[in-house]
Amino acid sequence: MIPNWSISHIATLPFMGDFSVRGIIKKIKEGIRGKELVQDLKVVTTSHEAIVDSLSGGNQQKVVVGRWLQSNPKLMILDEPFRGVDIGARRDISKRVRDLAATDVAVLVLASDVDEILDVADRVIVLVEGKVVMDVNAGETSKDKIVNKMSEVA
Amino acid sequence: MSIGKTSATNGFDLRDFIVKYGFILVTVILFVWFASTEPTFRMQNTLFSMLKFTSVVAITGLGVTLTMVVGGLDLSVGSIAGLSVTLSAMTMVIYAQTGAIALVVVLLGGVLVGLFNAFLIVVLKIPDLLATLATMFTIMGLKLVPVDGQSVSSGLILRDGSVAPGKFTPGFLLIDRAYIGPVPLPVAIFFILAFVVWIFLTKTRWGRVMYAIGSNPEAARLAGVRVQRYRALAYVLSGVFASIGGLILSSRIGQGDISAGNSLLLDAVAVSLVGTSVLGMARPNAWGTTLGAVLIGIVITGLTIKGFPYYAQDVVKGLVLLTALIFSFTLSRRKSRFVPAV
C-alpha cells in the first residue's frame, strides 16, 4: 500500500504502460479504471479519488487484489488474499474471484483458513509439510474432513 | 475514518493554511519588504541577476529532488559540479578543444558519476547517503590529480614546463552571459529544466513510479516496478543536472577553479528539502525546489543589498531550512510524511 495515494493510482500502478501514451498518463482512462474497481468489488469509499489510507483494511485489500482481477489474467495466484479481511470484504473478493474463474481463467488460491477455501474453491488440495495429502472437489468434502487431513502427520 | 480533511466544521484552519501557504507567504512578504525598502532591489537587472545567481543551485537541486523522490539523497552533486568546472577547463585550456567538446565531456562526466553512484547503491547495496558521500570525497580528490591540484586558467604552466595552449572559448563563456530576450540564458535553462522535471514527475508514468518507490519500495516491487532501474535512473539524472549546474558555474568563473562547487551541495540539498514543504505536499517536487531556490536567492540578494555581512547568509539559509522542516514535519497533519534517506 502506498500512503497518500488515491484508489485510482494504486489500481493502475502495475499497468502504467496501458494507461499512458508516450509516457504521459491518461488521467481520464485511469479514473474510469478506478471507478470500475470501486463498483466491481463494492469498495466502501467516498470516491475512486479517495486516499487509500482512509479505507478500512478490508477495503484496502479489495483495492490491491481487485487491480489484478481487472487486468484480464490467464492465471491468477492469490497468496492469502483474505488475511486480515472482514467477512463482508471476503465475500466481495471471493465472489469476484469466482466470476473470474467461471471464465477461462485459472485461479490458484493459497490460504490456511478452511472457511475461506470452501468459500472460493472448486477443487481443494491439502498440503502437509510439502506433500499433497488430499485432492478433491470442494463439493465432495467438508470442513471437518479437511481439518482432519490437515492435522494428520504426513 | 477521517478522509484527511480536518477542518470541515469551522471552515478555516489556520494550521492547515500555514502548512500549505506559509512558505509562499514568507517569500512574498520578504520580497515586498526588500522591494519597498531598497530601490535597487526593484530593478529588473537585480531580479534577473538574483535568478541567475540562484540558477546553479536550483538546477543542481532539481537533480537532488529526483533522488529524494525515489527515497534517496545524492550528496555527490557539489563534487560533480566542481568536477565539471575542472573538466571543462582541462578540455579547453590544456587540450585546446572547442567549447562544444567541453560541454559533451562535462555531461558525460555527470552521467559517469551518476552511474557510479547507481552501481554503489543498486549493485553493491550501500545506503544512498553513505555511497554518495564516498563518491563526493573520491571525486573531490580525483579531479585534482590530472591538474596537479592547481586551478586551470589560460597560461598555466604544465608538468613538462610548457604553457597550456588553449583558453576558455568565447562560445563557452556565453553559456552564462547570453540572453534570450531580456532573460539571462542560465535563468532560461533553470526554468525549462524545472518545467521538464515537473512534467516528468507529475504527468508521466516514470515519475509516478518513482514516487511509488520513494513512498514504499516493497509495495512498488509487488506492483511489478523495476525498483532498482528507477533508482539508478534517478542518480544518473542527478549527475547530469549537477553537471549542467557545473557548466554554468564554469562559464561564470571562466577558469578551472578547484574550489568551485564546494558550497553547492548544502545549498542544493537545502532547496530540495525546503521544496518538500511547499503547498503542504510533504514530498519532494519540482516547483517546491524551484520556489525554495528563488526564496533563498531573494533572501541572499536582499540581505546583501541591505549590507549584512556575508556570513549572515549561512545563518539565514539555516533558518530558512529549519522553518521549512517545521512546516513539513511539526505542523503538517499528514499521517505519512516524506522522510529523507538516512
Side-chain angles (χ1 to χ4, degrees), chain B residues 4-309:
Chain B
K5 296 263 187 290
T6 47
S7 57
T9 43
N10 52 14
F12 179 79
D13 185 320
L14 184 66
R15 189 157 130 180
D16 263 10
F17 182 82
I18 290 176
V19 167
K20 271 197 170 154
Y21 304 108
F23 223 85
I24 296 173
L25 212 62
V26 172
T27 314
V28 172
I29 289 171
L30 280 173
F31 187 83
V32 171
W33 181 52
F34 290 136
S36 57
T37 53
E38 298 289 339
T40 38
F41 190 85
R42 283 199 292 272
M43 286 155 61
Q44 193 193 334
N45 277 349
T46 314
L47 294 181
F48 275 132
S49 72
M50 173 198 91
L51 286 173
K52 193 171 147 178
F53 158 81
T54 215
S55 59
V56 174
V57 170
I59 291 167
T60 312
L62 285 167
V64 174
T65 303
L66 290 169
T67 61
M68 277 167 51
V69 167
V70 294
L73 187 60
D74 190 347
L75 293 184
S76 66
V77 288
S79 66
I80 295 176
L83 174 73
S84 306
V85 172
T86 303
L87 276 182
S88 57
M90 277 174 62
T91 312
M92 288 182 291
V93 176
I94 299 180
Y95 296 105
Q97 299 296 321
T98 63
I101 290 177
L103 189 132
V104 173
V105 168
V106 165
L107 292 179
L108 274 178
V111 171
L112 280 180
V113 180
L115 282 173
F116 181 67
N117 279 330
F119 174 76
L120 296 182
I121 293 162
V122 170
V123 182
L124 301 188
K125 314 246 180 278
I126 302 171
D128 302 46
L129 219 62
L130 305 178
T132 53
L133 188 69
T135 304
M136 177 185 100
F137 285 123
T138 312
I139 299 293
M140 282 172 93
L142 211 55
K143 75 170 182 191
L144 300 180
V145 174
V147 295
D148 297 328
Q150 307 177 66
S151 288
V152 179
S153 52
S154 30
L156 175 79
I157 309 294
L158 297 176
R159 219 172 294 175
D160 59 8
S162 65
V163 176
K167 61 179 176 59
F168 272 66
T169 64
F172 189 86
L173 293 174
L174 270 184
I175 296 174
D176 193 55
R177 277 149 231 199
Y179 283 81
I180 298 178
V183 186
L185 185 58
V187 178
I189 297 173
F190 159 31
F191 281 135
I192 289 168
L193 288 178
F195 184 74
V196 169
V197 173
W198 174 67
I199 294 281
F200 178 78
L201 285 178
T202 60
K203 307 287 175 197
T204 73
R205 49 188 287 205
W206 306 293
R208 175 75 67 78
V209 166
M210 282 169 70
Y211 274 120
I213 294 168
S215 297
N216 188 343
E218 182 57 14
R221 192 184 67 79
L222 290 173
V225 169
R226 294 177 187 274
V227 174
Q228 305 299 22
R229 279 194 196 180
Y230 280 95
R231 291 176 74 202
L233 174 70
Y235 282 96
V236 172
L237 288 175
S238 176
V240 171
F241 276 66
S243 62
I244 295 173
L247 271 176
I248 296 172
L249 199 59
S250 174
S251 169
R252 183 170 302 166
I253 306 169
Q255 58 162 313
D257 185 347
I258 47 163
S259 66
N262 284 355
S263 65
L264 196 54
L265 164 67
L266 292 176
D267 289 358
V269 171
V271 295
S272 305
L273 283 172
V274 165
T276 61
S277 77
V278 171
L279 287 174
M281 285 209 241
R283 62 180 199 180
N285 64 91
W287 289 135
T289 303
T290 303
L291 196 70
V294 170
L295 172 78
I296 289 185
I298 288 175
V299 173
I300 305 253
T301 310
L303 293 182
T304 309
I305 293 175
K306 283 204 169 291
F308 279 79

Side-chain angles (χ1 to χ4, degrees), chain A residues 1-5 9 12-17 20 22-25 27 30 46 50-51 53-56 67-68, chain B residues 1-4 199 202-206 208-209 211-213 215-216 219-220 222-225 283 334-337:
Chain A
M1 193 57 51
I2 293 162
N4 279 322
W5 276 35
H9 287 197
T12 57
L13 181 62
F15 319 107
M16 284 314 329
S20 53
R22 274 180 237 100
I24 304 290
I25 295 167
K27 289 201 118 169
E30 178 170 64
T46 47
I51 302 297
D53 312 37
S54 71
L55 305 179
S56 68
R67 66 178 180 186
W68 298 106
Chain B
M1 279 279 122
S2 74
I3 318 261
I199 294 281
T202 60
K203 307 287 175 197
T204 73
R205 49 188 287 205
W206 306 293
R208 175 75 67 78
V209 166
Y211 274 120
I213 294 168
S215 297
N216 188 343
L222 290 173
V225 169
R283 62 180 199 180
R334 293 187 94 134
K335 261 180 286 171
S336 56
R337 49 175 71 100

